[in-house]
Amino acid sequence: AQSVSQHNHHVILSEAASLELGCNYSYGGTVNLFWYVQYPGQHLQLLLKYFSGDPLVKGIKGFEAEFIKSKFSFNLRKPSVQWSDTAEYFCAVNPGGYQKVTFGTGTKLQVIP
Amino acid sequence: GAGVSQSPSNKVTEKGKDVELRCDPISGHTALYWYRQSLGQGLEFLIYFQGNSAPDKSGLPSDRFSAERTGGSVSTLTIQRTQQEDSAVYLCASSLGAAGRTDTQYFGPGTRLTVL
Protein backbone atom coordinates (compact mmCIF):
# COMPACT_ATOMS: atom_id res chain seq x y z
CA ALA A 1 0.00 0.00 0.00
CA GLN A 2 1.19 3.50 -0.72
CA SER A 3 2.36 5.70 2.13
CA VAL A 4 3.30 9.34 2.52
CA SER A 5 5.98 10.59 4.91
CA GLN A 6 6.28 14.12 6.19
CA HIS A 7 9.36 14.17 8.38
CA ASN A 8 8.92 17.65 9.81
CA HIS A 9 6.11 17.59 12.34
CA HIS A 10 6.49 21.12 13.66
CA VAL A 11 8.47 23.93 12.05
CA ILE A 12 9.00 27.38 13.54
CA LEU A 13 10.32 30.18 11.32
CA SER A 14 10.70 33.92 11.51
CA GLU A 15 9.00 36.06 8.90
CA ALA A 16 10.98 36.36 5.65
CA ALA A 17 12.77 33.06 6.23
CA SER A 18 12.72 30.48 3.47
CA LEU A 19 10.60 27.36 3.84
CA GLU A 20 11.01 23.81 2.63
CA LEU A 21 8.73 21.05 3.87
CA GLY A 22 9.64 17.51 2.97
CA CYS A 23 7.27 14.94 1.48
CA ASN A 24 8.23 11.43 0.37
CA TYR A 25 5.93 8.74 -0.91
CA SER A 26 6.19 5.07 -1.60
CA TYR A 27 4.60 4.04 -4.88
CA GLY A 28 6.44 2.96 -7.98
CA GLY A 29 3.99 3.90 -10.69
CA THR A 30 2.45 7.08 -12.01
CA VAL A 31 1.24 9.30 -9.21
CA ASN A 32 -0.73 12.46 -8.67
CA LEU A 33 0.60 14.67 -5.90
CA PHE A 34 -1.01 17.34 -3.77
CA TRP A 35 -0.32 19.77 -0.99
CA TYR A 36 -3.27 20.87 1.13
CA VAL A 37 -3.25 23.55 3.80
CA GLN A 38 -5.41 24.08 6.86
CA TYR A 39 -5.29 27.59 8.29
CA PRO A 40 -6.38 27.98 11.92
CA GLY A 41 -10.14 27.62 12.17
CA GLN A 42 -10.58 26.98 8.45
CA HIS A 43 -11.27 24.02 6.20
CA LEU A 44 -8.56 22.06 4.45
CA GLN A 45 -7.96 23.55 1.02
CA LEU A 46 -5.79 22.78 -1.97
CA LEU A 47 -2.47 24.60 -2.17
CA LEU A 48 -1.13 23.03 -5.36
CA LYS A 49 -1.14 19.79 -7.32
CA TYR A 50 0.94 17.85 -9.82
CA PHE A 51 -0.54 15.52 -12.42
CA SER A 52 1.97 15.60 -15.28
CA GLY A 53 4.26 17.92 -17.23
CA ASP A 54 6.59 20.45 -15.64
CA PRO A 55 7.76 18.95 -12.34
CA LEU A 56 7.96 22.40 -10.78
CA VAL A 57 4.45 23.35 -9.78
CA LYS A 58 3.35 26.76 -8.62
CA GLY A 59 0.42 27.20 -6.28
CA ILE A 60 -1.39 29.93 -4.44
CA LYS A 61 0.25 32.50 -2.15
CA GLY A 62 3.73 32.08 -3.61
CA PHE A 63 4.13 28.40 -2.80
CA GLU A 64 5.75 25.95 -5.17
CA ALA A 65 6.65 22.28 -5.10
CA GLU A 66 9.05 20.17 -7.11
CA PHE A 67 8.35 16.57 -8.10
CA ILE A 68 11.57 14.56 -8.18
CA LYS A 69 10.59 11.12 -9.43
CA SER A 70 13.97 9.51 -8.70
CA LYS A 71 13.71 10.56 -5.07
CA PHE A 72 9.96 9.88 -4.70
CA SER A 73 9.69 13.39 -3.31
CA PHE A 74 7.39 16.37 -3.63
CA ASN A 75 8.81 19.03 -1.34
CA LEU A 76 6.97 22.28 -0.71
CA ARG A 77 8.88 25.56 -0.84
CA LYS A 78 8.36 29.26 -0.33
CA PRO A 79 11.22 31.77 -0.56
CA SER A 80 9.92 34.14 2.11
CA VAL A 81 7.21 33.17 4.61
CA GLN A 82 4.71 35.50 6.20
CA TRP A 83 2.93 35.34 9.54
CA SER A 84 -0.26 34.50 7.61
CA ASP A 85 1.36 31.26 6.41
CA THR A 86 0.98 29.82 9.91
CA ALA A 87 -1.02 26.67 9.25
CA GLU A 88 -0.84 22.90 9.00
CA TYR A 89 0.35 21.52 5.68
CA PHE A 90 -0.51 18.07 4.34
CA CYS A 91 1.09 16.23 1.47
CA ALA A 92 -1.09 13.72 -0.37
CA VAL A 93 -0.57 11.17 -3.13
CA ASN A 94 -2.61 8.76 -5.19
CA PRO A 95 -1.89 6.36 -8.02
CA GLY A 96 -2.70 7.87 -11.37
CA GLY A 97 -6.22 7.18 -12.52
CA TYR A 98 -7.56 6.17 -9.14
CA GLN A 99 -9.38 8.46 -6.76
CA LYS A 100 -8.25 7.16 -3.37
CA VAL A 101 -5.82 9.65 -1.85
CA THR A 102 -3.35 8.95 0.95
CA PHE A 103 -2.39 11.85 3.20
CA GLY A 104 0.72 12.41 5.26
CA THR A 105 0.58 13.18 8.96
CA GLY A 106 0.94 16.91 8.38
CA THR A 107 3.47 19.59 9.29
CA LYS A 108 2.52 22.44 11.57
CA LEU A 109 4.20 25.65 10.50
CA GLN A 110 4.43 28.52 12.94
CA VAL A 111 5.72 31.83 11.60
CA ILE A 112 6.88 34.33 14.19
CA PRO A 113 6.44 38.01 13.30
CA GLY B 1 -21.62 28.51 -4.27
CA ALA B 2 -22.29 26.22 -1.33
CA GLY B 3 -19.42 24.11 -0.16
CA VAL B 4 -19.36 20.78 1.61
CA SER B 5 -21.39 20.87 4.78
CA GLN B 6 -21.28 18.52 7.73
CA SER B 7 -23.49 18.07 10.74
CA PRO B 8 -23.33 18.18 13.64
CA SER B 9 -20.26 20.34 14.07
CA ASN B 10 -19.68 18.86 17.52
CA LYS B 11 -20.93 15.64 19.06
CA VAL B 12 -20.34 14.45 22.59
CA THR B 13 -21.50 10.94 23.35
CA GLU B 14 -21.09 8.29 25.97
CA LYS B 15 -19.06 5.18 25.39
CA GLY B 16 -21.19 2.43 23.89
CA LYS B 17 -23.70 4.70 22.15
CA ASP B 18 -24.17 4.87 18.39
CA VAL B 19 -23.58 8.09 16.45
CA GLU B 20 -24.45 9.28 12.95
CA LEU B 21 -22.47 11.94 11.14
CA ARG B 22 -23.83 13.60 8.04
CA CYS B 23 -22.15 15.04 4.96
CA ASP B 24 -23.72 17.11 2.18
CA PRO B 25 -21.30 17.26 -0.76
CA ILE B 26 -21.09 19.96 -3.37
CA SER B 27 -23.89 19.58 -5.88
CA GLY B 28 -22.76 17.65 -8.94
CA HIS B 29 -19.75 16.03 -7.26
CA THR B 30 -19.84 12.29 -7.77
CA ALA B 31 -16.93 11.40 -5.51
CA LEU B 32 -17.23 11.55 -1.74
CA TYR B 33 -14.63 10.72 0.91
CA TRP B 34 -14.61 10.31 4.66
CA TYR B 35 -11.45 10.85 6.69
CA ARG B 36 -10.61 10.84 10.36
CA GLN B 37 -8.20 13.40 11.78
CA SER B 38 -6.73 12.55 15.15
CA LEU B 39 -4.14 14.57 17.03
CA GLY B 40 -0.74 13.83 15.54
CA GLN B 41 -2.14 11.23 13.13
CA GLY B 42 -2.82 13.25 10.02
CA LEU B 43 -5.78 12.35 7.84
CA GLU B 44 -6.76 8.72 7.96
CA PHE B 45 -8.77 7.53 4.95
CA LEU B 46 -11.98 5.77 5.93
CA ILE B 47 -14.19 5.24 2.88
CA TYR B 48 -14.66 6.50 -0.67
CA PHE B 49 -17.79 6.61 -2.83
CA GLN B 50 -17.69 7.12 -6.60
CA GLY B 51 -20.99 7.44 -8.39
CA ASN B 52 -22.93 4.18 -8.36
CA SER B 53 -19.86 2.00 -7.92
CA ALA B 54 -19.32 -0.12 -4.84
CA PRO B 55 -17.60 2.01 -2.20
CA ASP B 56 -13.96 1.51 -1.23
CA LYS B 57 -14.27 0.59 2.44
CA SER B 58 -10.65 -0.39 2.90
CA GLY B 59 -9.98 2.33 5.47
CA LEU B 60 -12.77 1.55 7.92
CA PRO B 61 -11.00 0.61 11.19
CA SER B 62 -13.55 -1.93 12.41
CA ASP B 63 -16.98 -3.35 11.67
CA ARG B 64 -18.44 -0.78 14.07
CA PHE B 65 -17.96 1.77 11.29
CA SER B 66 -20.23 1.93 8.27
CA ALA B 67 -21.27 4.55 5.74
CA GLU B 68 -24.01 5.04 3.22
CA ARG B 69 -24.54 7.43 0.38
CA THR B 70 -28.14 7.85 -0.62
CA GLY B 71 -29.12 8.93 -4.11
CA GLY B 72 -25.53 9.71 -4.98
CA SER B 73 -25.56 12.77 -2.75
CA VAL B 74 -25.82 12.92 1.05
CA SER B 75 -23.68 10.51 3.03
CA THR B 76 -23.98 9.25 6.59
CA LEU B 77 -21.12 7.78 8.58
CA THR B 78 -22.34 5.60 11.45
CA ILE B 79 -20.23 4.48 14.37
CA GLN B 80 -21.80 1.81 16.55
CA ARG B 81 -20.90 1.15 20.18
CA THR B 82 -18.51 4.10 20.27
CA GLN B 83 -15.21 3.78 22.08
CA GLN B 84 -12.99 6.51 23.49
CA GLU B 85 -10.42 5.91 20.76
CA ASP B 86 -13.08 6.96 18.23
CA SER B 87 -12.74 10.55 19.47
CA ALA B 88 -11.47 12.61 16.54
CA VAL B 89 -12.52 15.09 13.89
CA TYR B 90 -14.35 13.36 11.06
CA LEU B 91 -13.89 15.11 7.73
CA CYS B 92 -15.88 14.73 4.57
CA ALA B 93 -14.66 15.80 1.15
CA SER B 94 -16.13 15.71 -2.33
CA SER B 95 -14.75 16.05 -5.82
CA LEU B 96 -16.07 16.06 -9.36
CA GLY B 97 -14.98 12.47 -9.79
CA ALA B 98 -13.78 12.66 -13.36
CA ALA B 99 -12.96 9.22 -14.67
CA GLY B 100 -9.31 8.28 -14.87
CA ARG B 101 -7.90 11.10 -12.79
CA THR B 102 -8.03 12.58 -9.36
CA ASP B 103 -9.67 15.92 -8.84
CA THR B 104 -9.19 18.52 -6.19
CA GLN B 105 -11.02 17.54 -3.03
CA TYR B 106 -13.18 20.10 -1.30
CA PHE B 107 -13.39 19.57 2.42
CA GLY B 108 -16.15 20.27 4.88
CA PRO B 109 -15.61 21.81 8.30
CA GLY B 110 -15.65 18.45 10.03
CA THR B 111 -17.52 16.95 12.95
CA ARG B 112 -15.62 16.85 16.24
CA LEU B 113 -16.62 13.65 18.02
CA THR B 114 -15.86 13.24 21.72
CA VAL B 115 -16.58 9.91 23.37
CA LEU B 116 -16.67 10.12 27.14
Side-chain angles (χ1 to χ4, degrees):
Chain A
Q2 71 241 33
S3 66
V4 180
S5 298
Q6 292 183 244
H7 305 294
N8 312 107
H9 299 295
H10 195 182
V11 173
I12 302 174
L13 293 173
S14 298
E15 275 192 316
S18 64
L19 170 71
E20 181 159 3
L21 301 183
C23 173
N24 289 90
Y25 63 92
S26 63
Y27 183 76
T30 302
V31 291
N32 299 317
L33 298 157
F34 307 82
W35 277 96
Y36 282 83
V37 61
Q38 188 169 28
Y39 297 102
Q42 296 188 26
H43 306 183
L44 267 163
Q45 58 185 285
L46 182 72
L47 197 57
L48 49 78
K49 61 186 176 184
Y50 171 82
F51 286 166
S52 63
D54 188 344
L56 185 61
V57 179
K58 296 193 183 298
I60 59 172
K61 302 187 180 184
F63 286 90
E64 64 179 30
E66 184 174 13
F67 170 48
I68 302 179
K69 189 174 182 179
S70 60
K71 295 185 178 180
F72 298 89
S73 70
F74 190 55
N75 291 354
L76 181 71
R77 301 195 293 245
K78 185 170 183 179
S80 176
V81 294
Q82 301 173 311
W83 176 79
S84 58
D85 294 325
T86 295
E88 190 161 14
Y89 294 81
F90 294 89
C91 182
V93 63
N94 84 302
Y98 184 57
Q99 295 276 352
K100 180 178 172 180
V101 178
T102 301
F103 282 80
T105 53
T107 297
K108 288 187 178 177
L109 171 65
Q110 184 179 357
V111 180
I112 301 170
Chain B
V4 177
S5 61
Q6 292 185 246
S7 60
S9 54
N10 278 285
K11 177 71 177 179
V12 180
T13 190
E14 292 179 347
K15 178 181 172 182
K17 300 277 181 134
D18 297 352
V19 295
E20 284 189 352
L21 312 180
R22 177 186 167 105
C23 172
D24 280 274
I26 293 173
S27 177
H29 281 192
T30 62
L32 187 146
Y33 309 76
W34 283 99
Y35 297 92
R36 179 166 69 176
Q37 186 175 21
S38 305
L39 199 60
Q41 298 297 315
L43 270 72
E44 177 187 3
F45 168 80
L46 296 178
I47 188 168
Y48 157 60
F49 295 90
Q50 173 59 62
N52 296 321
S53 303
D56 179 346
K57 304 180 183 180
S58 59
L60 295 178
S62 77
D63 58 9
R64 296 187 295 104
F65 287 72
S66 62
E68 290 184 335
R69 189 176 185 194
T70 54
S73 181
V74 172
S75 177
T76 302
L77 177 69
T78 301
I79 308 173
Q80 295 178 310
R81 305 181 301 282
T82 52
Q83 303 294 313
Q84 288 182 331
E85 61 262 28
D86 299 334
S87 297
V89 175
Y90 289 81
L91 292 171
C92 176
S94 71
S95 70
L96 279 171
R101 61 178 291 151
T102 299
D103 308 297
T104 300
Q105 294 182 42
Y106 295 84
F107 284 82
T111 293
R112 182 175 297 278
L113 174 66
T114 303
V115 182
L116 301 176

